Structure formats: structure tokens, C-alpha cells
Amino acid sequence: MKISQIALRLGHSLLRITGVLAAVLGLLLAAILAVTTMPGSSHRGELPPATAEQQALAQQLRQHVAVIAAQEHNAQHPAALEAVATYLESELASYGYPVRREEFKARGAVVRNLEVTVPSQSVPGQRLVVVGAHYDSAHETPGANDNATGTAAVLALAKGLKSLGTTAQADVIFVLYTHEEPPFFKTPQMGSQVHAQGLRARGAPVVAMLSLETMGYYSGAPGSQKYPWPLNQFYPSQGDFISFVATTPDLGLARRVVRSFRSHAAFPSEGIAAPRFIPGVDYSDHAAYIDAGYPALMVTDTAPYRYPHYHTREDTPDKVDYDRLARVVQGLEGGGARSCAVATLNGLSRSVRLSSRTPT
């Protein structure tokens, strides 16, 4: 065979390989865009001046975080953990809720999740939306951002929904979990695993779960936001947004929540529904509900991908941006709209169907 013929064949082969690679890259790009593109428009530019309601909410959140994150509180510090649980239980009771204790044993100690429910006015018991956060801190940290911010947000949402009432087409269950942090993370003794499996065992019709996780740190500095590759090609480099993170089967849930949040909050927001093998996608209590076969997502500032004090002694209350945290919480409750109350949850309860996924 002549050299010219060999060269021609090699050229044709290279063209075919190049075409295949281009097609694969095109499909990969399309897939990434499909799970990262969210409805509505994220807020850009300066935030509007804080309203009096937002300022009051920020102060309320600050007070909760100061109490919850006064010291390290976890299985290694059981007295401090009990003090936080007692505070949370007292707060929920002061809003007029009967508080359900979900007690379980972990490493010989009896600990508890705390649960309150706002029943639907129209179909009580037929559809459930769960909103939860863990109240324990990681080893050697007081846990102000992780996760006193999420816990304080649950308290604020529970208080607001109790006082306003709900027109949601589902019961709204607020849960505060213990034992999310290591050594219990992703074990049967993880508080949210106990709760999710309990719901599954009795066939509870959960239509959505929102995990509020590490929500209070924001920065407009270039490069302040990190991502696992290749997500850094599709999201902002400034960590000034709140993120809604779901796994791929719950793309529809992520889009519904982001759409509702953006329609009620003048605050930067991003969303994604990615495979669980991407680090961070299932790093919170929503993983327990995914495992139980329920639709679930995480609301977060992205924790280790942004927060420089994550799981350190420096995760103290002074690191939290309470103004921005208040805006996020208000966005979750529907922009403080008194006429509809918790519009995000309301929208979820109307549109999300019970997952048909098989529990993993």
C-alpha cells in the first residue's frame, strides 16, 4: 500500500474519531446544561435595602444561632447536645406546637429528633412535605454555620407558618435532627435516617423534603466559590448565592423550588440536579430521604466549597451573614406574603407527586 493511501486512511480515521469525540462532548454538554439550567432569573447586582421585617428576622436568627452554637454539641459532649435539644423543644412549644420526640439509641445513649406538624386545611395526612435540619455540631466546632443556621431557619419557618396558617395542599412537617455529623453520618444512627426510615415503614406519603444545611456565609470576592469539576464551568466564581442541590431523579423538584424562590426573593440563587457520585451532592440529611425513596433536595451555601471555617473551631456565630440568611429564609417562606404563607412549600405540595423510586 502506498504511503499516500495509508495517510489518507489515517486521515479518514482521525476525522471519524474527531467526529465521535465531538458528538460525545456535545451530549455531555447538553446533559450538564439540562441539570444546571433552572427556570426564572437569578437576582443580579446590589441587594435591595433590608425591610423592617427582614431586619427583625435577622435579629431573631442571630439570637438562635448564638444559643445553639455557644459551644461544641454532639455525642462527645452530651450535656451540651441535650441543652441545645431542650432549647429547640422549648422554642417550638412556645410557638404553640405539640412537639413530638423521636427518641432512639446511638452508642448506648438515648438521643432525639424533634418534630412538629402543620396540618393541611384540605387534605390532612394525605400528602407530606418535610423541612428539616440537623442541630448537632461536628467534632471540635461550635457549628454556627454548620448547622445552627439551618436549625435557626427551621425555627423561623415553623414560627411563621404557625402564626400565619397554611393553605398548602399537604401537611408540613418540621424536623430537627441529631447525629448528622460523623461518626454517625450515613449510618442507621443518623437522626434523619431514623426519621426517613420511620416514614417509609409506615408508608407516609412524602412528596418533597428540603434539608436546610449550612446557609449563612456569602462572599462577593472573585474566586470565593469552588466546585468539583466540571461544574466550575457553569456557575459563578463568587459565593454570593444560595444553592438548591438535588440528585438527578429529582430535577423536577429542584426546578419547582428554584422557580418559587426566584419569584419571591430578590437574592442570587443557583440550582442543580446531579449524580450522587459528585462530591457534596448528598452531604446532608436529604440523603436519608433519597435512600428511603422520597424526593429531596438540600438548600445550602455549598459549605466546604465556599465556607473557609467549615468543620473548624472558627465556625462561630460572628462568621454568619444574618442579613442574607434572613433574605433566604424569607424567600423560602414566600417573601413574607401574608395571603398565601410559605409559597414555596405551597407550590411543592400542589405539584410534586410521590416518588416511584425504589429505596436504595
Side-chain angles (χ1 to χ4, degrees):
M1 183 179 293
K2 295 181 180 179
I3 294 177
S4 60
Q5 292 176 317
I6 294 174
L8 184 61
R9 289 189 177 184
L10 284 174
H12 288 160
S13 296
L14 287 174
L15 284 174
R16 284 195 295 270
I17 292 171
T18 301
V20 170
L21 287 176
V24 170
L25 289 174
L27 289 173
L28 178 61
L29 176 61
I32 293 174
L33 289 174
V35 300
T36 58
T37 303
M38 295 288 136
S41 298
S42 176
H43 179 81
R44 294 289 182 260
E46 294 293 323
L47 297 177
T51 65
E53 186 175 16
Q54 288 170 342
Q55 292 175 23
L57 178 56
Q59 184 59 28
Q60 175 187 335
L61 294 166
R62 182 188 299 272
Q63 291 170 355
H64 289 320
V65 171
V67 174
I68 297 165
Q71 58 184 318
E72 182 179 349
H73 49 287
N74 48 41
Q76 290 73 41
H77 296 79
L81 184 65
E82 173 60 26
V84 171
T86 300
Y87 171 76
L88 299 174
E89 192 168 6
S90 176
E91 278 295 304
L92 291 169
S94 74
Y95 306 156
Y97 286 107
V99 182
R100 173 180 173 263
R101 289 185 172 189
E102 184 177 44
E103 296 183 338
F104 60 98
K105 186 174 288 188
R107 295 194 173 184
V110 176
V111 293
R112 64 188 183 276
N113 299 325
L114 302 171
E115 176 190 294
V116 299
T117 301
V118 181
S120 166
Q121 293 182 356
S122 56
V123 287
Q126 295 184 27
R127 298 160 69 81
L128 309 178
V129 172
V130 178
V131 182
H134 72 90
Y135 65 84
D136 60 316
S137 69
H139 182 55
E140 294 189 341
T141 173
N145 196 25
D146 179 19
N147 185 36
T149 54
T151 302
V154 169
L155 290 177
L157 290 168
K159 182 179 182 180
L161 190 54
K162 183 67 173 179
S163 63
L164 297 176
T166 179
T167 59
Q169 302 301 303
D171 298 352
V172 180
I173 302 175
F174 294 102
V175 194
L176 296 170
Y177 314 104
T178 191
H179 285 12
E180 189 266 0
E181 299 288 3
F184 304 103
F185 185 63
K186 291 192 175 181
T187 73
Q189 289 77 46
M190 184 178 175
S192 52
Q193 282 283 350
V194 173
H195 191 262
Q197 291 301 321
L199 291 173
R200 172 54 64 187
R202 63 177 185 266
V206 176
V207 296
M209 186 274 173
L210 274 63
S211 173
L212 309 189
E213 172 70 61
T214 312
M215 300 168 61
Y217 186 80
Y218 302 89
S219 174
S224 56
Q225 183 66 53
K226 311 298 182 186
Y227 307 90
W229 187 89
L231 301 182
N232 56 332
Q233 304 299 312
F234 298 89
Y235 290 102
S237 65
Q238 292 122 333
D240 61 353
F241 58 88
I242 191 69
S243 184
F244 298 86
V245 182
T247 54
T248 308
D250 292 326
L251 174 60
L253 172 62
R255 285 177 170 166
R256 278 183 282 269
V257 175
V258 171
R259 179 189 294 113
S260 179
F261 182 85
R262 288 177 172 177
S263 68
H264 293 97
F267 194 87
S269 58
E270 301 292 341
I272 188 172
R276 291 185 77 170
F277 63 75
I278 294 181
V281 168
D282 64 352
Y283 282 7
S284 189
D285 294 296
H286 63 305
Y289 295 83
I290 297 170
D291 292 343
Y294 292 125
L297 61 74
M298 171 175 55
V299 185
T300 181
D301 65 14
T302 74
Y305 293 111
R306 178 189 308 174
Y307 188 45
H309 311 294
Y310 180 74
H311 281 193
T312 74
R313 292 184 177 90
E314 301 305 312
D315 184 11
T316 50
D318 59 298
K319 307 301 192 308
V320 175
D321 188 327
Y322 297 98
D323 172 76
R324 283 174 168 78
L325 178 61
R327 294 169 190 260
V328 170
V329 172
Q330 196 178 68
L332 291 173
E333 71 174 7
R338 301 298 184 184
S339 61
C340 62
V342 194
T344 297
L345 303 181
N346 207 351
L348 282 178
S349 66
R350 288 198 180 104
S351 58
V352 181
R353 294 183 177 180
L354 185 61
S355 172
S356 60
R357 287 199 305 268
T358 301
T360 58

